[in-house]
Each structure stands twice: as structure tokens, then as C-alpha cells.
Amino acid sequence: MNPSLDQIWQWLETVPDPEIPVISVVDLGIVREVEWQGDTLEIAVTPTYSGCPATTVISADIELALRRNGIKNIAINQQLAPPWTTDWLSDTGRKKLQKYGIAPPQSSGAPQNCPQCQSADLEKISQFGSTPCKALWRCKTCLEPFDYFKCH
Amino acid sequence: MDPLFQLLLRMGDNTLVLGHRVSEWCGHAPVLEEDIALANTALDLIGQTQMWLGLAGEMENKGRSADDIAFLRDIWDFRNLLLLELPNGDFGQTLMRQFLFDAWHSIQLGHLINSSDPRVAAIAEKAAKEVAYHVERSADTVVGLGDGTDESHARMQAALDYLWPYVGEMFQSDAADLALVKQGIAPNPASLRGDFDALTRRVLAQATLTIPQDNYAQKGGKTGARHTEHLGHILCQMQWLQRAYPGETW
Ligand SMILES: [Zn+2]
């Protein structure tokens, strides 16, 4: 018998994002759909940024995690529409990011607080950061630079 | 050639060739933040190339992947705008080219989002979100450097004067374009000129730069009729590995 979809989602929640390993691919909101077609598990994954090099690694990690749990037939499909948005980042994902030192995305387009000292006195250093999904900001209170997960 | 296939090559070759040019800055930009920004922009463009050329290969149905189309065609099969194959020049010229392309690209994608072909619309929607960042950043940088020191201003004006003759090609329509308009797949290139002029006039005025009066347009890139000598040099560097070791993976 096929494992239940609830069980599958639980397994997927253990698959970390390769670039930001504190959040899972489910927290990131890139797993769009999971369903059984006969004995094949079909998974729709959407890329965060079209050129993000992590995309292929993520598909491989998902497949590996599910195989480890005994699933044999897995089809991972890339789904472009609707395009990924940071609105799909889960609330737990946002909290984990902040704790990890990455300010979570805000609809205002700017981080709310410094992840180190919580100050709101911040300045943008660069719109692009260490990965396509991040911008570089600095806290004017504790003077620490930090990554901001861009609203997208 | 099928008009839709032509459109996919034009979109994909634009992002491929510019993505390659911008990636040439990796490790050479004037400051670290700009280096990272340029590398990220190049990455977005290459990612978009995979989508456009991937769809081109799919609809052509001859078993060619995006990689095959990118790495195994020669100069005459490329359909990118001439503007994008020009050498980078200095940092200012690179950002001026980026701004002129981003301005057109953002407007073009805005129309393609409403394409009657859902595959084209999906790629456009994905790409448009990234290009919104590109144009914001390139416009800011053009204003910062144009309205900067005497030296940066002079360099940006020289870049604009040099690149302007390559702008007109973006708005030239041919039979393929008109067929796409009829099918509701893509806008008429000529119809984008108004929005482009409004955007570039606003930003370039803020940058204290003067748009050249002469609207003479270099052309031949998007039709493939006549590329500049520079495209061959790009392909030489971009394609040598796949040509020397066909099908090589690692
Ligand atoms: Zn702080």
C-alpha cells in the first residue's frame, strides 16, 4: 500500500534547503503538489529564481529522502506557473530564518529588524547578496551586516 | 521558420548572450557588491535562457535540449539583438547597456505575460519578477553614475552615445512578429517604443544625460542577417568545451 500523503509531507519537511539548511523545502514553499498516480508518486516543484543553481540539488535531495523511506517510483516535475513568491514561505520558516540570522521577507521590501539585536535602524548595502534570493543589509545600531531574504 | 520558434530563439538568445557578457565581470567588478550583483544578474539571465531555449527545443520536437541549442549553433543561427553582443567596455558602459535592455525587456515581458500561449505566459511571468529587480538596479546605477562626478558623467554620456544606435533594433517588426501579433502570442515590437521612450527619457533625464538626436538603427541581430564580429568571439569562448568534447558531462 502507498504511504499516505500526510506521511509524505512529513518526510518532505525533513529535506533541508541546500543553501539555507535551517529551513525545509516545505517551509520554503517550493513543493507545490504531491499526489499518487497508481504506484508513482508525482511531485510538482517550482524554482525560486530561474537561475538558482540549487534547483537541481533540491530535486535530487527530495528524491533521495523519499527513496530512503522506501518509495520506488518518483516523478518530480518542474512547475513554472504560478511563479514562486515569498508569500509561500511558511510562518515557521520565517521564524527559523530570523533565528538563523537572515531577516525574513517583508511586503514593505525592507527588513523589519536586525536579526542580531532587533534594532530597526537599518540600511541597504546591496540589492543582491550571496544567493539570488538575498540582499545585503547593515544594522546601524550593532553595525553588523546581515542577509535579508528578498520579497519576491 | 515557425514564428513561435523564432520568438523563443530571440528571447533565449538575448538572455544567453547578455548573460554571458555580464558573467565576464565575475571577479573583475570595481567593488565586491557590484561583482555579486552582476553575477546574480547573469545567473537570472542564464536561468531564463534555459526556459526559453528549453521550450524552443520542446516545440521543435527534434530532441534538442536547451544546452544543444545554446552550444551547438553557429553565428548565423543566433537571433539576439546586436546591442547585447557588444563588448562590455567599462563598468558604466556595461550598466548603460543593461539599463537599455532591461527597459525593453521589462516592457516586452509585461506583454508576454498575457500571451495566448500559456507556456510563453508562464515563462514571462517568472522572468518578469526577476527583470523588475534588474531594471530597478540598472536605472539606479545609471542615475548614480550619470549624475555623479565629471568623470563618471562623461563616461556615461559616451556610453549612451555609443549604444544608442543599437536601440532601434528592439522595435523593428518583421513577418514573424506580425504573425505572432495575429495569434495573440506576442506584441508588435514597434508598439513598445512609446513605453520605452517614456521610461528611458525619465531615467536618463534624472541621470543628467542627453539622448542622441540621431535615431539611425544598426540591425541584423534579431533576424540573424548580420551579426557583429563580436558574436563569433563570444561563441568561441562559450562553446569550445561542448565542441571539443561533444556530450561531455561531469
Ligand atoms: Zn543589530
Side-chain angles (χ1 to χ4, degrees):
Chain A
M1 210 184 80
N2 296 332
S4 73
L5 292 178
D6 282 349
Q7 176 65 68
I8 305 284
W9 280 104
Q10 279 177 32
W11 287 331
L12 290 172
E13 275 172 32
T14 66
V15 180
D17 174 78
E19 308 244 24
I20 312 168
V22 288
I23 57 171
S24 75
V25 293
V26 176
D27 288 330
L28 195 56
I30 56 173
V31 182
R32 300 315 299 158
E33 221 174 88
V34 178
E35 61 173 359
W36 286 104
Q37 290 289 345
D39 61 354
T40 300
L41 184 62
E42 291 202 349
I43 301 178
V45 176
T46 195
T48 49
Y49 287 74
S50 56
C52 185
T55 309
T56 35
V57 181
I58 287 171
S59 294
D61 287 350
I62 288 176
E63 190 169 338
L64 191 70
L66 295 173
R67 285 202 190 287
R68 251 191 230 130
N69 285 294
I71 296 177
K72 289 192 179 66
N73 301 317
I74 302 162
I76 297 179
N77 305 310
Q78 291 284 335
Q79 182 183 309
L80 278 186
W84 177 78
T85 149
T86 36
D87 294 346
W88 296 347
L89 203 67
S90 71
D91 286 340
T92 15
R94 283 166 198 272
K95 287 193 192 107
K96 286 185 204 164
L97 281 176
Q98 178 86 15
K99 223 176 136 197
Y100 186 59
I102 299 173
Q106 304 293 342
S107 50
S108 66
Q112 213 164 37
N113 301 101
C114 163
Q116 309 296 339
C117 76
Q118 312 309 319
S119 162
D121 192 12
L122 312 169
E123 64 175 344
K124 182 164 78 178
I125 299 176
S126 170
Q127 201 174 17
F128 292 86
S130 55
T131 63
C133 58
K134 286 178 268 165
L136 198 58
W137 282 66
R138 176 167 37 215
C139 172
K140 293 207 253 184
T141 306
C142 73
L143 305 180
E144 284 290 322
F146 64 90
D147 274 334
Y148 165 59
F149 205 110
K150 282 189 284 195
C151 198
H152 189 72
Chain B
M1 197 186 286
D2 177 81
L4 175 57
F5 187 70
Q6 181 80 257
L7 172 75
L8 298 173
L9 288 188
R10 286 171 175 173
M11 294 304 293
D13 286 344
N14 278 344
T15 50
L16 175 63
V17 170
L18 183 60
H20 186 87
R21 275 293 185 225
V22 175
S23 76
E24 290 174 358
W25 275 101
C26 193
H28 300 278
V31 289
L32 186 58
E33 286 78 11
E34 292 305 331
D35 204 288
I36 293 169
L38 286 160
N40 270 302
T41 304
L43 198 59
D44 283 344
L45 293 169
I46 299 300
Q48 292 166 17
T49 306
Q50 271 173 341
M51 299 193 288
W52 292 121
L53 297 186
L55 180 56
E58 219 173 275
M59 67 153 293
E60 181 191 45
N61 209 12
K62 287 184 189 158
R64 286 203 291 178
S65 66
D67 279 355
D68 293 336
I69 296 177
F71 296 132
L72 301 176
R73 282 178 306 153
D74 216 331
I75 300 167
W76 45 81
D77 290 325
F78 273 73
R79 294 293 179 269
N80 59 282
L81 299 166
L82 297 178
L83 171 73
L84 309 177
E85 64 198 46
L86 299 176
N88 287 334
D90 60 17
F91 180 73
Q93 186 181 314
T94 298
L95 263 296
M96 180 60 80
R97 178 186 59 196
Q98 186 74 39
F99 169 65
L100 295 172
F101 177 69
D102 290 344
W104 172 83
H105 201 199
S106 61
I107 295 164
Q108 164 82 343
L109 290 172
H111 286 272
L112 291 182
I113 284 174
N114 299 316
S115 174
S116 62
D117 188 311
R119 300 165 302 180
V120 170
I123 297 174
E125 210 181 333
K126 185 80 196 157
K129 294 184 73 167
E130 295 161 0
V131 171
Y133 275 116
H134 298 175
V135 70
E136 192 187 324
R137 169 177 171 273
S138 59
D140 277 358
T141 315
V142 163
V143 170
L145 291 173
D147 189 17
T149 63
D150 288 348
E151 174 72 16
S152 73
H153 175 85
R155 286 188 184 220
M156 293 310 275
Q157 186 61 57
L160 180 58
D161 293 346
Y162 174 64
L163 296 173
W164 193 253
Y166 295 92
V167 162
E169 191 185 11
M170 298 168 177
F171 308 103
Q172 265 149 10
S173 310
D174 63 7
D177 289 313
L178 298 178
L180 293 166
V181 173
K182 228 177 198 172
Q183 298 168 59
I185 295 176
N188 188 336
S191 72
L192 308 183
R193 183 90 212 206
D195 284 349
F196 177 87
D197 282 344
L199 174 57
T200 49
R201 263 190 219 129
R202 180 171 58 75
V203 172
L204 294 171
Q206 215 185 326
T208 68
L209 297 171
T210 311
I211 297 177
Q213 290 296 310
D214 190 353
N215 262 340
Y216 169 76
Q218 297 279 2
K219 52 189 179 227
K222 72 172 269 191
T223 60
R226 192 167 48 98
H227 280 281
T228 68
E229 63 179 294
H230 307 295
L231 182 61
H233 294 272
I234 294 181
L235 297 189
C236 197
Q237 197 186 42
M238 186 168 83
Q239 299 182 330
W240 77 268
L241 197 139
Q242 280 301 321
R243 288 180 181 276
Y245 306 98
E248 188 71 316
T249 56
W250 63 88

